[in-house]
Every structure is written in C-alpha cells, then in structure tokens.
Amino acid sequence: MKVQALLVFLLAGSMSLMAQKSYQLQSPDRKLQTVVTVGDNVEFSLTHDGTEVLAPSAISMTLQNGEVLGAKPKVSKVTKGSVDKVIPSPFYKKAEVSDIYNEMTISFRGDYSIAFRLYNDGLAYRFITRKKGEIVVADEAATYNFSTDHKTFSAYVNSTKPTFEEQFSNSFEQPYVNEAITKLNDKRLMILPYLVDLGNGKKLCITEADLEDYPGMFLNNATDKPSLKSVHAPYPKVKQQGGHNRLQMLVKEREDFIAKTKGNRSFPWRVFVVSENDKQLVDCDMVYRLASPSRVSDVSWIKPGKVAWDWWNDWNIYGVDFRAGINNDTYKYYIDFASEHGIEYVILDEGWAVNLEADLLKVIPEIDLPTIVSYAKSKNVDIILWAGFYAFDRDMENVVKHYADMGVKGFKVDFMDRDDQELINFLYRSAETCARYKMLVDFHGICKPTGLQRTYPNVINYEGVNGLEQLKWSPASYDMVTYDVTFPFIRMVAGPVDYTQGAMRNATRANYRPVNSEPMSQGTRCRQLATYVIFESPLNMLCDNPTNYMREKECTEFIANIPTVWNETQVLDAKVSEYIAMARQHDDIWYLGALTNWEPREMELDLSFLGDGDYKLELFKDGINADRAACDYKKEIIPVPADRKLKIKMAPGGGYAAKIYK
C-alpha cells in the first residue's frame, strides 16, 4: 500500500510539472529576460545578463465574487509584439522619450489576460479584464521573491500607528533606511518607489504606473524570507471631516474590497526598473512611457516656471514700511520681486481663505484677490492658490470656474494623505476639471506620481518627497543632506518632485537648527543652487523670502534664470546616497549641477557631450571656508577645458552649479 501511495504521489507531481507551461520574453537588447510559468498559479521571474533580479514570484487578482484571476489558469492565447516609437514630452526632463519594448500578452479563459513588457531598462506587467458591467476587486496579490537577502533603500510610511488600516493615511514623506529585506520592520508599510541593491552595481527599483481608478501599492514583508508582498488600501466606507484645519477626510472604516471598477479595463502597471549602474536610475523614463497618453489636446496654455513662495519663509520679509503677513501689501512685495527677476508665478499658500471653514470662496478681509491678481497681471506675473483637499473637493467645479474667471492660473492642492481608489479618482477629476478651465495643478500631501503628468500635462508637479519643509521643524540630528543624494535614484524615478528648494540661510552640519520662522538649509549655498539642475521640477519654488534674495543678487539671478523643463539630460556621475552630477540642456544652454553627501569630494566630469566649439563656464563653487560658513561661495567665469575634463571640488554637504554657453 505504501508503494502504491508513493507511486500515486509521484505520478501526481509529474502530471503537475507536465501541466506547467513556461513563456519567455526578452528585452530588445536581449539582456533582460522574464519567464512566466503557468501551472496551478501564475509566476514570473526576471534575470539581467545572468543576474537574478526576481526569483519566481506569484501574482493574482481576487474578485469579490470569489473568482481568482491567476488560480488554476487556462491559457487561451499568447500574443507577442514589438514597438519602436518616440513620445513627445513637452514638460519633462527631455524633449522626447524613446519607447522601445517587446511585449507578450497571455490571455486566459475567464475573460482576463496579463500583459508583460520588457524594455532595455526594465519590466512591467499589468492585469487586463474583459468582463461585462462592473467588478469588485477584493485584492491584487503579489509576492516578489529574491534568492538573496539584498540590502534595500526603504521608506516607511510616516505613521507609526499599529495597524495597516491606520497607516494607509500618511503624507508619503520619509527618509530611507538602508537595510536587508529580512531586517525591515514587518509592522510598517513601505512606500514606492523602492530600491533593491542586487550587487555588482546593479539595482532594482519597484514602482507603478498608469494608476487610475484603483488604489496605490505599498510593500511589506512579514516573513523571515527575502520577499516583498503587495498591500493596497481598501475602499473608504466611513469618513469624517477633520485633520489639518478640518481640510481632510479621515477614513474611520474601510470596505472589504480595494476597488469597484469597470469590468472591461486595463489595470495599473507594476514596474521593475533594472539598472547596470546608478546613473541609469536618475535618467529613467519608464513611468512616463507607461502612462496613458495626453488627454489634453491643446497644451499651448500650460506654462512651467518658477514660483516666489511665501509659506516656507513665513512671510518674513523686512526693510519695508508695512506689517508683513498674509495681506495685500506683502503679496504685492512678492509680486514686485517676481516681476523684477522674471519669475513666472507667486503662490498664495495657506491662510488666504477663512480658516476652519473649508470654503475656498470665503476669503479673509486682509486679502483682496481680484486686486492681487490684477496687480500681478500688470507685472507679467501669474497667481496660484493653495487649497486644502476637502475644501477643493467639495465644490470643485464652482471653485475652479470662479478663480479661472478671476485670472488665477492654478491650484496647489494639499493634505490628501491617502492613495485609496477614491483619492486616486480625485486626482483625475481635479486634473480634468482644471484642464477644462486652463488651470495648473500642483499636488501636495500625496503619493508619488504614476504618470498622471503625461495624461494631464497641466498636473505640473507632485510632492510625495521629504522636502526642504522638514528643516523648519526637524531636530539637529536630522540628515537632509544624505536624503538629497538618495531620493533622485528612487523617488525621482517616478517623476517630478516639488522639493521646494532655494534657501539663502545655509548651515553646516554642526550649525543647523530648526527655526520655523527663519528656516535654514543643511549644506552649502552652492548645494541649493545645484538642486535646481538635479531635481526634476517643472514648477519650481524659490522657498526663501524676497528680501533675502535681493541681498544675494548673484545667486538669485542664477536661480531666476534657470529653466524648469529640458531638451536633454546627461547624467555624468552618480552613486546612491553619496554623490550625483548631471547636466541638462535648454535651447542652446547647458546647466551643470553636482551634490555630495557629508563627505568632501573631488570629481572629474566629462563634458564631451558639448561637442566642438569654444564654451564658457559661469560657475558657482563652494568657498574655501564653506565647511565653516555654509553660505561661502565663489563665482567665476572660465573657459571650458579643451579636453572637456572639468575638475570640481565640493565641501561637506556641498554642491557645484554652472551655466555653460558659447
């Protein structure tokens, strides 16, 4: 009997293996390969030139009616194809994006399929359903497995509450921890993008793209194995107005499903960017490629640019004959400064609308918005208004129309602090509504971008970054300098960042302290200048007050004149959490930026991309005493070396910025 039972067991196992089928797909350069195995479930693995990127990893989607897409799957058809095209990218880090990939779509009985795309720099997959009517998605499961306990750069949600349900509400602003997968805190959710160090210089960055009518993805590992499990916020069931100045909708209870959506649709792309060196991460276009094409037919009215911003500097101007604050005189002062320096916008941040009312049509008596907008227009400056999430959402159409008619050019919408399906749908409604009225949108208090800025190009920027605002209140032990040379390789893979740089008060590591009303940056003055080149930001803030800028004419002129969108980007040298140097071109002028961590650094940069001809270099470098007084810098104009080798030197927490022209 035992022998008979053993034979039956072996026969069953053999039949199971025989029932499995594998489907392979390679990248155009043949370095990346994915193997999709269909047996009792659907698994995929990924390798790069012999290096394992992902071990076999199971994926599935469970519907509320009990159907599991990916369980006992039956393949009905497999189709393959290739694409080689160019995508125009008008408000981006380059004028056009190459979209070259091989694709395999596996269709299954049950009216669903899974599409896999392989680019030279990564893999993406997504579920596609062709079902009638509406479907309810209970969960989308994925367990991304690794054979090695790799080190990672992980950002936890900035909520330390004990349950995931509570942690789903967070601002998506956190520094990174550099730990092995099995050493990560299993009680905390981790936000995307997420970076895995594969060794030998190779990295894997996990994120998502084309997130529409669906919740965002978190990661977690509650096992002792090197694996990462996807987690999604369930749909809100009970909400309550509250939070910051009663401008948020706090989720008190959630449903037992993550999405209620159309049955005939494509779901978000799960994205796996693979780099052979760290430079490739900084210049990655994967999310932009995978996003849905623009739904705005005429984009001629969309104007990127820079902003004279009030909130970071606490409206703390001086040397004037009026009381500074949220009032007409103060904003006219900001407008005059912006006009004098060719700065396109002034933002009226929180405070212009009546507090605690969540009503954007109620303006405080100290502010006369029509007068401010008219005055700005006479100075060739446009106005953007800050808006709390609930105040904007509750009366969106009326608010947008009212202020568009007044001449306001956009909204900075803040304090969403969620990425469940309902909130993601709000982002799309906001983008579409504002586009109809030719208004820009800058999303703050929100998750990373997933390509909405391509689908609605009037979505001009995203926060979802641990930006300079943190230094208004963070303790002396806080390390923003290391974060500055880390997030361009991770968060910026997803898209632009509203980091809000430009501080004229600069501090060494020993001298930094939080001062809310007169804040300072960590690192040198030249570091602040260089961030305008390094950080991708089509709508870029000048965070300090106009009075400070007017005392620093050379630096202000450099910042005010630097473009915010680019024709071409060249990453010159980079290493995660240590240093980064890059050049960006707009028209015929190149701009160069470099940052280091707290280590002083010398670099030799290859400028051979300039080609032939004589070029001048208008440079800002750390002064000889910048390690003691972080504001110390030196400006020079020198010829670009004939051999195109530029040697630069940076102080601890330092930077280097330059303008290159013929």
Side-chain angles (χ1 to χ4, degrees):
M1 290 295 293
K2 288 182 179 180
V3 173
Q4 185 178 8
L6 178 61
L7 287 171
V8 170
F9 175 77
L10 291 173
L11 182 61
S14 175
M15 291 177 66
S16 176
L17 288 172
M18 289 174 62
Q20 286 187 351
K21 290 187 177 180
S22 294
Y23 306 89
Q24 297 183 7
L25 184 69
Q26 287 186 318
S27 59
D29 66 2
R30 307 182 72 84
K31 288 185 177 181
L32 278 169
Q33 176 175 286
T34 188
V35 177
V36 182
T37 303
V38 180
D40 292 336
N41 59 6
V42 178
E43 294 183 339
F44 76 99
S45 61
L46 182 64
T47 57
H48 179 274
D49 211 14
T51 300
E52 181 185 83
V53 178
L54 284 170
S57 301
I59 55 176
S60 65
M61 178 180 288
T62 301
L63 306 186
Q64 199 176 51
N65 63 8
E67 183 181 0
V68 180
L69 313 184
K72 306 292 183 183
K74 303 296 182 185
V75 175
S76 60
K77 184 173 63 173
V78 178
T79 58
K80 290 187 176 182
S82 298
V83 169
D84 186 341
K85 64 181 181 180
V86 172
I87 303 169
S89 47
F91 310 108
Y92 192 52
K93 61 189 175 186
K94 54 190 69 170
E96 57 185 27
V97 171
S98 296
D99 193 27
I100 305 170
Y101 61 87
N102 294 328
E103 185 169 41
M104 174 174 66
T105 301
I106 305 176
S107 300
F108 301 91
R109 296 178 191 172
D111 300 319
Y112 74 96
S113 56
I114 307 175
F116 294 85
R117 283 187 187 177
L118 265 179
Y119 295 83
N120 289 342
D121 57 352
L123 165 74
Y125 77 84
R126 76 190 319 176
F127 279 86
I128 302 168
T129 54
R130 295 291 179 259
K131 296 179 179 293
K132 295 180 180 179
E134 191 176 67
I135 60 173
V136 179
V137 181
D139 192 22
E140 181 184 342
T143 302
Y144 305 126
N145 295 318
F146 302 88
S147 297
T148 301
D149 192 14
H150 297 297
K151 292 290 288 291
T152 69
F153 287 88
S154 310
Y156 296 113
V157 295
N158 61 340
S159 170
T160 56
K161 293 180 178 178
T163 68
F164 286 177
E165 182 160 331
E166 294 170 299
Q167 292 177 33
F168 289 133
S169 296
N170 80 101
S171 68
F172 304 90
E173 303 168 10
Q174 274 285 79
Y176 297 98
V177 297
N178 185 208
E179 295 179 344
I181 298 172
T182 61
K183 303 299 181 184
L184 294 166
N185 187 339
D186 62 357
K187 302 297 191 295
R188 301 276 299 280
L189 291 170
M190 296 175 289
I191 61 178
L192 301 182
Y194 183 95
L195 192 65
V196 181
D197 189 342
L198 301 172
N200 297 318
K202 295 183 181 182
K203 304 284 195 307
L204 167 68
C205 187
I206 303 173
T207 190
E208 57 188 337
D210 210 23
L211 177 65
E212 182 174 4
D213 195 28
Y214 205 72
M217 184 170 76
F218 298 88
L219 294 174
N220 177 258
N221 181 26
T223 74
D224 59 357
K225 298 177 181 178
S227 64
L228 298 165
K229 182 180 179 181
S230 65
V231 182
H232 300 83
Y235 196 88
K237 183 178 183 179
V238 178
K239 297 174 295 178
Q240 178 180 308
Q241 182 185 357
H244 177 79
N245 289 335
R246 295 181 55 77
L247 292 170
Q248 297 175 274
M249 291 302 289
L250 307 179
V251 179
K252 297 299 182 180
E253 186 180 349
R254 293 187 179 270
E255 301 281 5
D256 60 354
F257 60 85
I258 65 171
K260 184 178 290 187
T261 187
K262 294 180 295 184
N264 186 1
R265 63 162 295 179
S266 297
F267 288 83
W269 289 105
R270 307 314 179 192
V271 180
F272 305 85
V273 175
V274 181
S275 65
E276 296 181 76
N277 58 68
D278 292 351
K279 292 193 298 183
Q280 293 174 346
L281 289 169
V282 184
D283 195 27
C284 177
D285 300 313
M286 184 76 85
V287 171
Y288 196 93
R289 296 178 194 131
L290 292 166
S292 293
S294 176
R295 296 172 190 171
V296 182
S297 57
D298 174 22
V299 298
S300 61
W301 56 271
I302 298 173
K303 185 175 72 174
K306 290 175 291 297
V307 181
W309 185 38
D310 51 6
W311 179 86
W312 192 82
N313 55 75
D314 200 27
W315 301 265
N316 206 353
I317 58 178
Y318 50 95
V320 297
D321 296 326
F322 55 86
R323 187 69 175 168
I326 305 175
N327 56 51
N328 292 342
D329 287 337
T330 298
Y331 281 113
K332 287 182 178 180
Y333 184 85
Y334 278 78
I335 291 165
D336 288 343
F337 163 74
S339 179
E340 182 181 348
H341 292 87
I343 295 166
E344 291 85 354
Y345 298 99
V346 168
I347 277 184
L348 275 67
D349 212 283
E350 185 176 13
W352 64 269
V354 175
N355 195 25
L356 300 176
E357 294 286 335
D359 187 342
L360 293 172
L361 299 180
K362 292 183 178 180
V363 182
I364 62 172
E366 295 84 358
I367 290 290
D368 182 341
L369 272 178
T371 295
I372 289 173
V373 172
S374 177
Y375 184 78
K377 185 177 180 181
S378 74
K379 298 279 187 169
N380 201 30
V381 175
D382 288 318
I383 297 297
I384 295 173
L385 298 177
W386 184 94
F389 159 61
Y390 178 61
F392 190 73
D393 188 35
R394 68 186 297 196
D395 196 20
M396 187 187 299
E397 187 79 26
N398 287 334
V399 165
V400 175
K401 183 181 186 305
H402 175 75
Y403 288 113
D405 290 344
M406 188 183 293
V408 172
K409 297 302 181 184
F411 287 96
K412 173 184 173 181
V413 186
D414 205 348
F415 286 106
M416 281 75 79
D417 290 357
R418 293 160 32 205
D419 71 344
D420 49 49
Q421 182 191 21
E422 182 182 72
L423 200 287
I424 296 301
N425 287 346
F426 162 80
L427 299 182
Y428 277 81
R429 283 190 296 107
S430 301
E432 188 276 331
T433 303
C434 285
R436 279 192 283 112
Y437 292 98
K438 297 186 176 180
M439 299 277 266
L440 301 178
V441 192
D442 177 11
F443 288 123
H444 266 239
I446 192 56
C447 59
K448 80 283 174 193
T450 62
L452 183 57
Q453 68 276 17
R454 179 186 172 196
T455 309
Y456 285 97
N458 60 312
V459 177
I460 202 72
N461 217 343
Y462 265 78
E463 194 182 25
V465 66
N466 203 53
L468 202 66
E469 68 178 25
Q470 303 295 328
L471 296 186
K472 283 171 69 71
W473 53 73
S474 295
S477 59
Y478 201 79
D479 186 358
M480 182 64 77
V481 161
T482 301
Y483 181 78
D484 290 346
V485 289
T486 305
F487 85 80
F489 303 86
I490 308 171
R491 163 58 182 84
M492 221 160 69
V493 170
V497 291
D498 199 0
Y499 176 95
T500 67
Q501 64 266 41
M504 293 293 105
R505 291 188 178 95
N506 316 110
T508 64
R509 193 169 198 171
N511 292 342
Y512 162 75
R513 65 190 188 281
V515 183
N516 193 286
S517 61
E518 292 189 285
M520 65 192 76
S521 69
Q522 291 182 355
T524 68
R525 171 69 57 77
C526 289
R527 181 182 199 83
Q528 290 296 298
L529 303 186
T531 61
Y532 285 91
V533 181
I534 301 292
F535 300 163
E536 182 190 346
S537 187
L539 187 74
N540 218 336
M541 303 295 131
L542 279 75
C543 71
D544 219 321
N545 73 60
T547 316
N548 285 347
Y549 284 123
M550 287 187 281
R551 292 164 60 97
E552 301 287 352
K553 292 183 179 180
E554 289 181 334
C555 296
T556 300
E557 181 182 2
F558 180 84
I559 294 172
N561 290 331
I562 195 168
T564 62
V565 295
W566 308 94
N567 302 119
E568 186 179 346
T569 291
Q570 293 276 347
V571 184
L572 306 179
D573 202 358
K575 187 173 182 181
V576 178
S577 80
E578 294 189 20
Y579 56 86
I580 181 171
M582 63 196 308
R584 299 191 193 267
Q585 183 191 36
H586 183 87
D587 294 336
D588 295 326
I589 298 175
W590 284 90
Y591 288 83
L592 175 67
L595 303 173
T596 182
N597 55 11
W598 287 115
E599 296 296 320
R601 194 172 306 278
E602 296 184 17
M603 302 176 72
E604 183 176 271
L605 305 180
D606 182 0
L607 306 185
S608 58
F609 61 86
L610 292 173
D612 296 333
D614 296 327
Y615 287 85
K616 290 183 179 179
L617 193 76
E618 184 179 314
L619 66 90
F620 292 77
K621 63 181 182 181
D622 293 331
I624 194 169
N625 294 306
D627 60 331
R628 302 177 61 189
C631 61
D632 188 29
Y633 75 91
K634 187 173 183 180
K635 178 184 176 183
E636 295 179 349
I637 299 177
I638 63 172
V640 171
D643 64 359
R644 298 297 192 256
K645 303 297 183 184
L646 177 67
K647 294 182 179 179
I648 70 171
K649 184 177 181 180
M650 293 180 283
Y656 183 98
K659 178 180 177 181
I660 306 174
Y661 53 91
K662 283 188 174 180

